[in-house]
Amino acid sequence: AQSVTQLGSHVSVSEGALVLLRCNYSSSVPPYLFWYVQYPNQGLQLLLKYTSAATLVKGINGFEAEFKKSETSFHLTKPSAHMSDAAEYFCAVTEPLGGSYIPTFGRGTSLIVHP
Amino acid sequence: DTEVTQTPKHLVMGMTNKKSLKCEQHMGHRAMYWYKQKAKKPPELMFVYSYEKLSINESVPSRFSPECPNSSLLNLHLHALQPEDSALYLCASSSRQGNTGELFFGEGSRLTVL
């Protein structure tokens, strides 16, 4: 069975500082991993995904994540935070289930960016 | 711009009303999903349609009734809802070919039950 743990329900950074959002997964088969972002009053938007190709994945808005099998982690980083990055971030994992891929979401991390 | 369109964006209804939420996508995706999301929580899966057939129902109360008229449309019919059903309802779609589970979400319909 698949599961996702996001450490920290809130992460607060200053504008220009490094952003690090943590995600650890559990999966019985090689997983597919995703980061989604949700801005207030909007749906979820895909930031980036790992699908067993390169372990360092680059996404939109300057975000990237590294798949580390030995640590079962898929942490999201951005070198320099912008005010516009303030949002809710969800890590998700998928495994085949009955012929379809249904993602399991982490509880989410709220990113707060201070001026 | 999202390629999954949901209407209405906001809906207020009484507990005796009947209303519907609508979702449309034109990406040729053959899997469509309804999720319910409470504030500051992850989306909770409600229903999955695959090739216009209901494939997953996550033990959702019968006051929520999904319908998939064709491969581009997904409806959620609402009847006799409770105040605790107030939430953001998200529609999503995914491709069946080479599917990895990546979902394309609409902007959601914010439902308030009085």
Side-chain angles (χ1 to χ4, degrees):
Chain A
Q2 60 195 33
S3 67
V4 171
T5 301
Q6 289 185 241
L7 296 176
S9 58
H10 295 84
V11 169
S12 182
V13 300
S14 298
E15 193 173 18
L18 172 71
V19 175
L20 171 60
L21 304 183
R22 299 178 187 274
C23 173
N24 289 88
Y25 70 90
S26 173
S27 174
S28 57
V29 299
Y32 295 146
L33 294 158
F34 308 83
W35 276 100
Y36 289 89
V37 61
Q38 186 176 30
Y39 299 102
N41 299 313
Q42 293 189 23
L44 279 70
Q45 177 185 3
L46 183 72
L47 269 180
L48 48 81
K49 62 182 177 182
Y50 168 76
T51 57
S52 72
T55 56
L56 182 62
V57 181
K58 294 187 185 300
I60 62 171
N61 302 338
F63 284 93
E64 64 181 37
E66 186 171 8
F67 172 69
K68 292 187 176 180
K69 185 178 179 180
S70 60
E71 299 177 9
T72 60
S73 69
F74 191 57
H75 302 329
L76 182 70
T77 60
K78 182 174 181 178
S80 176
H82 294 166
M83 296 296 292
S84 59
D85 294 326
E88 194 78 16
Y89 290 79
F90 294 97
C91 182
V93 62
T94 66
E95 288 180 358
L97 176 65
S100 64
Y101 289 72
I102 305 295
T104 296
F105 288 91
R107 65 175 181 171
T109 299
S110 182
L111 177 64
I112 302 161
V113 182
H114 297 288
Chain B
D1 288 341
T2 181
E3 295 186 69
V4 177
T5 303
Q6 290 188 243
T7 56
K9 290 195 184 304
H10 300 275
L11 179 63
V12 179
M13 59 187 291
M15 290 189 285
T16 58
N17 292 157
K18 283 186 181 180
K19 297 285 185 184
S20 296
L21 306 181
K22 298 185 185 299
C23 175
E24 189 169 5
Q25 58 89 13
H26 294 289
M27 294 178 282
H29 290 171
R30 303 311 298 270
M32 296 186 76
Y33 309 71
W34 279 115
Y35 283 87
K36 174 183 177 180
Q37 187 182 30
K38 291 283 200 177
K40 300 299 184 183
K41 298 291 186 185
E44 298 173 29
L45 184 65
M46 300 175 72
F47 303 104
V48 180
Y49 274 83
S50 180
Y51 292 91
E52 295 101 69
K53 287 184 168 44
L54 183 65
S55 61
I56 294 176
N57 177 342
E58 291 288 297
S59 302
V60 179
S62 60
R63 57 186 184 268
F64 294 92
S65 175
E67 178 195 20
C68 190
N70 59 55
S71 60
S72 300
L73 293 174
L74 186 66
N75 298 322
L76 186 63
H77 302 298
L78 314 171
H79 175 53
L81 295 192
Q82 304 297 311
E84 59 264 29
D85 296 322
S86 298
L88 182 67
Y89 288 83
L90 294 165
C91 174
S93 68
S94 68
S95 169
R96 290 296 298 172
Q97 285 191 322
N99 189 20
T100 60
E102 176 184 349
L103 298 180
F104 294 77
F105 284 89
E107 295 200 348
S109 293
R110 172 99 32 214
L111 173 66
T112 302
V113 182
L114 301 177

